[in-house]
Amino acid sequence: MKAILIDYLSPSGHIPIINFYIRNLEKNFDLILLNHNIKKKIIKKKKVKYFHLKKNFITRIIQLAKLFSHFKNKKIKKIIMLSYEPYVLFILGLIIDLDYFKIFIFEHDTLNSKKKIKLLLINFLSKKIIHLVYNKDSKKLLNQTFKRKVIFTNHPIIKMENNQSKSKPKKIILIPTRHHFKRDLIENFIRQNRNFNFYVLSKKSNIKKKLFGNFKNVKLFEFIKEKDIEKIVAIYLPIDNEVYKYRVSAWLYKGIAYNKKIFMDHNNLYKFEKKRFPNNISLSTRKKINLKDLIIKKKINIYKYNSQLISDLNNSVFK
């Protein structure tokens, strides 16, 4: 069966995972179609093609309808989507017969309980669509509540090559906060760990506001280079439990890739990931963190982990 991998939105956060799937699953696809905006950051392969996505909502739907009609004319049935918009896919299903295809969609941040209309629309998508999820709670929601077909798959652990730093890690804890976070959790964590310095990743607007400016041991950055992740000793994830109930944190997997200790509060994501990565993940408590708390006794075998998830995808999606 002819197959296509498509990420028509291609957000910048998907770049590492897109490259990962291209490297490991390219042989399964006749075509890999991505948004032109990320072309410079994607590995070069003959099967990878790009297109300019229309910004207007109506013209975007028309563009995608033409694209799917083209797939049908070429007798391409299997479509794996790394990103999608529930309302776009819903309207697309009213225009063309999506049941002709065998569609797999990856769930990243679409299952957001705060966005109830989008969540409701997912229930009205074609029942033949199969969801690929990284979280057991999302599998339960889709399978038991929405009665939809679901496949659980592990999120890749990706470490950028040639980014080894020879310098020893400094007493710096990284706090990624660019999108969804709890400010009070961050402030409490910083107060109880004044023996550390903190790099806080933040939106440009929050940097201008001098967020957390009352702390002398905090520096705000819009971005951090991969090589600089080697220099930190730990990561703290002050996530919004409602937002992350049905999704995972990319920063958690990046922290594991660099063998860093990850501190989390007691929420759904912590309970799910602690069972899977007990040595890397620790519960954030009111006690001050000591250097001995950062020691990871058993490192994850990343090669074995990623090889298994590719094997599982080959058996579940490409069998």
Side-chain angles (χ1 to χ4, degrees), residues 157-161 163-164 226 230 257-258 299 302:
I157 297 177
I158 307 165
K159 184 174 182 178
M160 301 298 289
E161 297 177 359
N163 274 311
Q164 294 284 350
E226 289 281 333
E230 292 276 10
Y258 285 90
K299 188 177 180 179
I302 297 176

Side-chain angles (χ1 to χ4, degrees), residues 296-312:
I296 299 173
K297 296 179 180 179
K298 187 176 181 181
K299 188 177 180 179
I300 295 292
N301 187 329
I302 297 176
Y303 175 79
K304 183 178 179 181
Y305 172 94
N306 285 336
S307 296
Q308 185 61 54
L309 80 84
I310 291 300
S311 176
D312 290 344

Side-chain angles (χ1 to χ4, degrees), residues 9-23:
L9 293 173
S10 297
S12 59
H14 282 197
I15 292 172
I17 206 169
I18 290 172
N19 281 328
F20 176 87
Y21 288 134
I22 290 175
R23 286 192 183 98

Side-chain angles (χ1 to χ4, degrees), residues 109 112 114-115 176-183 186 203 237-241 243-244 247:
D109 58 355
N112 188 336
K114 286 188 173 182
K115 298 179 180 179
T177 69
R178 196 170 287 119
H179 299 295
H180 309 287
F181 66 95
K182 294 281 190 178
R183 181 170 178 170
I186 296 174
K203 294 188 296 185
L237 298 177
I239 63 173
D240 184 325
N241 189 42
V243 173
Y244 279 84
R247 61 173 293 185

Side-chain angles (χ1 to χ4, degrees), residues 21-30 32 47 314:
Y21 288 134
I22 290 175
R23 286 192 183 98
N24 294 282
L25 294 171
E26 179 197 9
K27 65 179 182 180
N28 295 299
F29 300 110
D30 297 274
I32 298 169
K47 292 181 181 179
N314 280 322

